[in-house]
Amino acid sequence: MSKKNEGLSTAVGLLGVAAAVGGLVWLFSDPPESSARQRLKQRMLAALHKAAAAIGVKAPTLTQCNRRGTNAWSDGYRIGWNPVFFEEVLARHCTDDACQESVLVGIMGHELAHHVKRHAVRTDLHPHVQELDADGLAGHILATVGVQPHHFENVIAEISQRPTASHPGAFQRVAAIRRGWQRARGWFA
């Protein structure tokens, strides 16, 4: 084999090894996000910023969490979201942009309420009180940005069918959202 062909063969071999190693690296890291997932992420950020502007606060960092069973959370420093949960909820409940906006702003408003009220570090309030407080502020945020609450209420009713140690049942939660929305609209004090 000539020196030229030997060099080419070595280069092709090295490219093959690099491609194989690159493939192995991809197997052990997060796969690239789909364009649909990237659009959802942008919509989540927009919903968070809209909710924050509605109550005059700076939006915290939005962190993605892909753990099954997690939907959204606030630890007092950032707000987390699970894209799989949101994709499933939007697919089940929403066929139009108005529905998606209600659900996204509602959930981000709820988590933002936990954030600004520092629920993660408060031990003087029962978890049910914290949840109802966050639901009420989410309803207020929806009214402030001019979004109807019923799509968000439907999602909350589905995921809160039975009370748990940390979350009250659907009836209480939907009532809290509705009260927050009505108060923001000036329907009662």
Side-chain angles (χ1 to χ4, degrees):
M1 185 183 300
S2 73
K3 288 264 187 209
K4 184 177 181 182
N5 286 342
E6 193 175 292
L8 182 59
S9 176
T10 302
V12 169
L14 289 175
L15 284 174
V17 169
V21 169
L24 288 174
V25 168
W26 184 81
L27 285 174
F28 294 108
S29 65
D30 289 335
E33 286 187 345
S34 68
S35 58
R37 178 76 51 91
Q38 289 172 350
R39 282 191 304 278
L40 177 59
K41 186 183 218 174
Q42 291 307 311
R43 294 193 76 191
M44 294 299 296
L45 276 169
L48 176 58
H49 284 274
K50 185 179 268 194
I55 58 172
V57 299
K58 182 179 182 228
T61 301
L62 186 64
T63 301
Q64 186 171 315
C65 172
N66 296 328
R67 219 178 11 234
R68 239 352 186 171
T70 302
N71 53 30
W73 49 268
S74 172
D75 62 6
Y77 301 99
R78 61 197 167 169
I79 290 177
W81 71 291
N82 182 339
V84 174
F85 168 79
F86 282 91
E87 289 164 350
E88 290 171 357
V89 163
L90 294 177
R92 262 194 324 273
H93 289 275
C94 296
T95 57
D96 60 37
D97 288 343
C99 175
Q100 290 187 9
E101 182 177 25
S102 174
V103 171
L104 297 179
V105 172
I107 294 174
M108 286 295 100
H110 174 92
E111 297 306 331
L112 184 63
H114 285 308
H115 176 77
V116 299
K117 293 180 177 246
R118 311 236 343 116
H119 287 161
V121 297
R122 293 194 61 187
T123 58
D124 61 327
L125 291 177
H126 188 278
H128 285 201
V129 173
Q130 292 181 2
E131 289 303 317
L132 295 173
D133 191 25
D135 287 335
L137 187 52
H140 174 91
I141 288 168
L142 287 169
T144 303
V145 300
V147 175
Q148 293 292 322
H150 60 277
H151 297 295
F152 174 54
E153 292 168 341
N154 290 342
V155 169
I156 291 300
E158 178 191 301
I159 64 175
S160 299
Q161 291 177 1
R162 288 186 204 88
T164 66
S166 63
H167 289 73
F171 180 79
Q172 288 180 293
R173 295 194 68 193
V174 169
I177 294 164
R178 186 55 56 140
R179 275 192 307 276
W181 192 85
Q182 289 172 338
R183 283 191 179 116
R185 306 281 295 180
W187 290 1
F188 52 78

